[in-house]
Amino acid sequence: MAFASPAHAQTDSIALETVTVRGFVPERFMSGLKIQAIDSAMLAQARFQNISDVLSTFTPIAFKNYGPGQLGTASFRGTSANHTAVLWNGLNINAPTLGQTDFSTIPVAGFDRLSVQFGSAASIVGSDAVGGSILLGSDVPKSPFHISIGRQEESFDNRQTRADIRYVTVLNRQWSFSGKTAVYDGRMNNNYRNPVRKGYLLLPTETFQKGIVQDLFLQAKNDREISAHVWLTDNKLTLTPDDEQGREMTRTTAYRTMLRYRVRSLTLRTAWVRDIIDYAKGDLSQPDHSVTDKIATRIENDFSLRPGAKPNPLSIKTGSEWTHYRSRVPGYVYSPVAENRTDVFLLTRWQPASRITVSVNLRQGFVTGFNPPFTPSAGVEHRLIRKKLYNLSLKGSYGRSYRVPTLNERHWKGLGNPDIRPETGWNKEIGIEQTLKSTSGSTWRASVTLYHNRVKDWTYWNPSRSYRVENLQQILARGVELQTNYLHTTELRQAGVDAGYAFNRSSQEKAYDNYSEEIVGKQLVFVPEHTAYVNAFFQHKSTRITGQFQAASRRYTTFDNSQFLDGYGLVNLLAETTISLGKVRGRIQGQIRNLTNTFYLNVRNNAMPGRSFALSLTFSYDSQ
């Protein structure tokens, strides 16, 4: 498909024999939860962009973006930036110091699969999954040999380059070897011809980004697999680089490595991650240097039971994960600090009837100095109507969430709180979706989801106490999400529309002191109540034109909602075509971003760029 469409954990209620699911696929046990898979065609179209560009275009998630190449964080269903779990091949890669991920440092070149899980999934993925989860995965290459290299030139003297090679070979009767090697490099110089828009400055910045991804797979015919994954990334951001006194430099470097072994239904995994943050202001030659190491091991086993006389088996995944953190940060009371986390889990999936799927999941975490809550969840999906051309499904889930406080929240000198309590909450949601197909080649999908997420002991940098960390707030996030898409396909042409809208009402419920009394019931800062997107495309043979629209309502910048940034709507236009010469393909794409030159402000209260252009050219060769 040429646009993203919701894909759910259960899309077929027909009873099948048990099969081994390769890799980490948590969606299998997420019955009742809303899951949206971003189509591979869209990832290819956005090959020179980062993950926040893709998700803001095709999902109702609100992003806080400081500008091109700068910090980008997600507000998932009305929660804050550290309430979204980001998993790379099943490993949570949120920085333990910050408890979040800067989405501007994750380019599309870094992964093969992207799925979005809405709502709490702590029983499945662990801490941080309060508002939702972002799932990144690596695929086993299929083609014997494939190579691709591309370059994009953009306005403001910005440019992106990426290349990848995929390969498969048969070693002998038993084993085959495959892999992917990808490299990327980006330069965001942001040289604005007119650095002032309607009296507001465009913040001068420079961002340099580079990385390498290496995936290797060794597979045997007797259902064994060994895989190794490496992702090295380096991102350097400098604010006001020409101001020698006021300039700020933040450099984030990540070394992510993983080794996985699977024999039939048993999987063993070990990983090592090092996150490095260098920060300096004024004199950039001697930055503060923070290093955090993460060592994680995981063991899990899949098996099936057949309760009673039912023909459909009960699928079970059980296992344990142990993680060790060690962090050296100059701002901590003492350094280094260390922490151990252990999780044990039991995930189940069962079809008691051909149209019903049920998941019941259990998790218990153990953390040094903390007592995380027992985390259960239950979900059910019922296909009310199942016909050849029409399907109607009802789903719902209820589950507990939690978030372990970050290392910064506990150990930062003068502001951290070693007695801070873990956050805990309960998430409820219910949704209905339908799929209608026609004999003429059209497909229409639509879904409605309502959610209610109450979080207690919300961690808060309290402004009334010089921003010391405290458990002050009980937050209630509730809302509704509407998504629909339409696709019509003929022999030579395709056309489609993908649209979505979300209403997110997120506010504090209780007053803990005199300061918080006046903000009870007020919308949380930088969380828009309304977000929407529309994408439409038309394709004739190998040429496609795509129009994109995304909008967000006002975002409050003060807790009492007395000040705010105006809402905005952005329009992008893309045109691309592919030329094939045998097994060689050339793909050229042109983009106009912010077509209407809309003026809007970001979270820094600085103006965002106006209309800009991008032109890319990609060559590829496939041996098949």
Side-chain angles (χ1 to χ4, degrees):
M1 292 179 61
F3 55 89
S5 61
H8 302 275
Q10 168 65 13
T11 58
D12 194 348
S13 296
I14 299 174
L16 300 174
E17 292 298 320
T18 303
V19 296
T20 301
V21 180
R22 300 178 182 275
F24 183 79
V25 188
E27 297 96 324
R28 178 174 171 79
F29 299 94
M30 291 180 174
S31 299
L33 290 172
K34 178 182 176 181
I35 301 172
Q36 180 178 346
I38 304 302
D39 188 81
S40 59
M42 283 296 92
L43 294 181
Q45 191 177 51
R47 60 173 57 84
F48 295 103
Q49 296 176 291
N50 61 52
I51 190 174
S52 62
D53 297 325
V54 176
L55 294 179
S56 62
T57 302
F58 298 104
T59 74
I61 302 173
F63 280 86
K64 292 178 282 187
N65 188 354
Y66 284 76
Q70 299 183 57
L71 176 67
T73 59
S75 175
F76 213 147
R77 281 190 170 178
T79 58
S80 69
N82 51 13
H83 289 127
T84 301
V86 181
L87 276 66
W88 169 63
N89 291 317
L91 178 71
N92 191 334
I93 59 174
N94 280 347
T97 52
L98 301 171
Q100 59 184 262
T101 293
D102 179 359
F103 288 95
S104 71
T105 66
I106 302 184
V108 172
F111 52 87
D112 299 315
R113 283 180 285 110
L114 171 61
S115 295
V116 181
Q117 174 267 310
F118 294 74
S120 170
S123 62
I124 303 173
V125 304
S127 178
D128 301 345
V130 178
S133 305
I134 308 297
L135 310 175
L136 312 176
S138 302
D139 284 336
V140 180
K142 303 299 182 183
S143 175
F145 183 76
H146 174 91
I147 185 171
S148 174
I149 184 169
R151 172 87 167 189
Q152 178 165 283
E153 293 289 337
E154 308 171 19
S155 298
F156 318 129
D157 195 22
N158 298 337
R159 59 188 63 92
Q160 311 284 337
T161 305
R162 60 165 291 182
D164 67 82
I165 303 175
R166 301 168 191 262
Y167 35 88
V168 179
T169 184
V170 177
L171 301 178
N172 52 44
R173 294 182 179 179
Q174 185 67 19
W175 292 93
S176 64
F177 173 76
S178 58
K180 179 192 76 173
T181 304
V183 295
Y184 56 87
D185 180 272
R187 296 288 188 270
M188 307 289 285
N189 295 302
N190 290 328
N191 293 327
Y192 303 116
R193 291 185 177 180
N194 184 4
V196 179
R197 298 194 71 200
K198 293 188 176 182
Y200 289 86
L201 289 173
L202 277 73
L203 185 69
T205 63
E206 288 180 350
T207 301
F208 302 149
Q209 184 181 80
K210 57 185 177 181
I212 182 170
V213 179
Q214 180 68 72
D215 296 314
L216 300 174
F217 301 89
L218 192 62
Q219 296 175 301
K221 291 185 178 180
N222 60 352
D223 205 13
R224 283 187 293 168
E225 180 181 274
I226 302 173
S227 65
H229 309 273
V230 177
W231 187 2
L232 312 179
T233 182
D234 186 13
N235 190 86
K236 182 181 179 182
L237 166 65
T238 305
L239 306 180
T240 61
D242 296 330
D243 182 359
E244 294 185 359
Q245 299 299 319
R247 61 187 177 184
E248 294 182 51
M249 185 274 292
T250 303
R251 184 172 187 175
T252 56
T253 306
Y255 303 87
R256 305 180 182 118
T257 65
M258 179 184 298
L259 182 64
R260 187 165 53 196
Y261 173 69
R262 182 184 60 80
V263 52
R264 298 178 179 87
S265 61
L266 178 66
T267 303
L268 305 174
R269 185 191 75 195
T270 184
W272 171 74
V273 176
R274 169 166 287 184
D275 291 306
I276 301 175
I277 300 178
D278 292 308
Y279 173 79
K281 186 172 183 178
D283 182 8
L284 307 184
S285 61
Q286 295 182 327
D288 290 338
H289 186 66
S290 302
V291 180
T292 300
D293 287 313
K294 173 181 179 177
I295 300 174
T297 60
R298 180 186 178 103
I299 181 172
E300 61 187 33
N301 190 56
D302 293 85
F303 56 94
S304 299
L305 299 176
R306 294 186 181 272
K310 296 292 184 181
N312 299 324
L314 171 65
S315 299
I316 299 175
K317 181 187 289 290
T318 183
S320 177
E321 185 168 11
W322 173 81
T323 306
H324 174 76
Y325 296 104
R326 182 179 177 85
S327 185
R328 295 180 179 271
V329 179
Y332 286 179
V333 176
Y334 57 91
S335 184
V337 298
E339 177 181 286
N340 293 310
R341 300 185 186 182
T342 302
D343 289 84
V344 292
F345 55 87
L346 175 69
L347 313 179
T348 67
R349 180 179 184 272
W350 184 39
Q351 285 184 258
S354 62
R355 296 190 179 189
I356 299 176
T357 304
V358 178
S359 289
V360 177
N361 305 311
L362 309 173
R363 177 181 289 263
Q364 178 63 63
F366 305 90
V367 181
T368 303
F370 290 93
N371 185 26
F374 174 63
T375 312
S377 69
V380 62
E381 296 185 12
H382 185 196
R383 182 164 292 186
L384 302 174
I385 301 175
R386 186 180 65 190
K387 295 184 179 297
K388 183 178 180 180
L389 298 178
Y390 183 72
N391 289 297
L392 179 67
S393 299
L394 179 68
K395 59 181 180 176
S397 68
Y398 185 56
R400 195 172 194 178
S401 64
Y402 74 95
R403 186 183 76 89
V404 177
T406 68
L407 299 180
N408 283 3
E409 290 168 344
R410 282 173 278 165
H411 302 293
W412 200 265
K413 191 180 302 181
L415 301 178
N417 184 354
D419 299 321
I420 200 75
R421 297 184 299 277
E423 298 178 9
T424 181
W426 290 94
N427 179 79
K428 296 171 284 186
E429 66 178 82
I430 187 171
I432 190 168
E433 70 168 29
Q434 68 173 4
T435 302
L436 176 64
K437 298 181 179 180
S438 71
T439 56
S440 62
S442 298
T443 302
W444 176 54
R445 294 184 175 90
S447 67
V448 180
T449 305
L450 290 86
Y451 71 90
H452 182 282
N453 189 7
R454 177 175 281 113
V455 183
K456 297 182 179 179
D457 287 327
W458 184 286
T459 303
Y460 186 53
W461 297 79
N462 190 354
S464 67
R465 299 192 61 184
S466 301
Y467 290 94
R468 187 175 188 270
V469 176
E470 293 184 352
N471 293 110
L472 289 181
Q473 303 184 31
Q474 178 172 297
I475 299 297
L476 177 61
R478 61 280 195 199
V480 60
E481 295 161 343
L482 310 175
Q483 288 184 276
T484 184
N485 54 63
Y486 171 81
L487 176 67
H488 180 72
T489 302
T490 63
E491 185 177 354
L492 297 178
R493 297 180 180 86
Q494 275 191 333
V497 177
D498 181 29
Y501 163 80
F503 170 75
N504 298 299
R505 178 64 179 166
S506 189
S507 58
Q508 182 174 326
E509 283 193 304
K510 294 182 179 180
Y512 293 87
D513 55 22
N514 292 332
Y515 175 81
S516 62
E517 286 182 356
E518 61 185 36
I519 63 176
V520 171
K522 302 295 179 65
Q523 182 78 355
L524 294 187
V525 294
F526 297 116
V527 178
E529 286 191 340
H530 308 277
T531 58
Y533 68 91
V534 179
N535 303 289
F537 82 95
F538 175 79
Q539 179 172 332
H540 177 70
K541 294 183 179 180
S542 59
T543 300
R544 177 187 303 170
I545 298 177
T546 304
Q548 301 173 341
F549 172 77
Q550 52 185 290
S553 63
R554 65 172 56 176
R555 293 146 293 150
Y556 296 102
T557 59
T558 57
F559 292 97
D560 62 358
N561 291 179
S562 61
Q563 300 180 35
F564 57 87
L565 302 177
D566 289 328
Y568 61 89
L570 302 177
V571 178
N572 301 325
L573 184 64
L574 295 81
E576 60 186 359
T577 190
T578 301
I579 301 174
S580 299
L581 296 174
K583 296 181 180 181
V584 178
R585 292 186 176 185
R587 184 171 183 172
I588 185 169
Q589 182 189 82
Q591 299 183 45
I592 305 176
R593 301 168 181 169
N594 194 358
L595 177 67
T596 57
N597 205 31
T598 299
F599 171 81
Y600 65 109
L601 302 176
N602 62 14
V603 290
R604 284 189 184 275
N605 219 19
N606 295 96
M608 296 290 281
R611 186 184 299 112
S612 63
F613 305 89
L615 181 66
S616 66
L617 181 62
T618 302
F619 290 100
S620 63
Y621 169 84
D622 197 311
S623 61
Q624 286 189 337

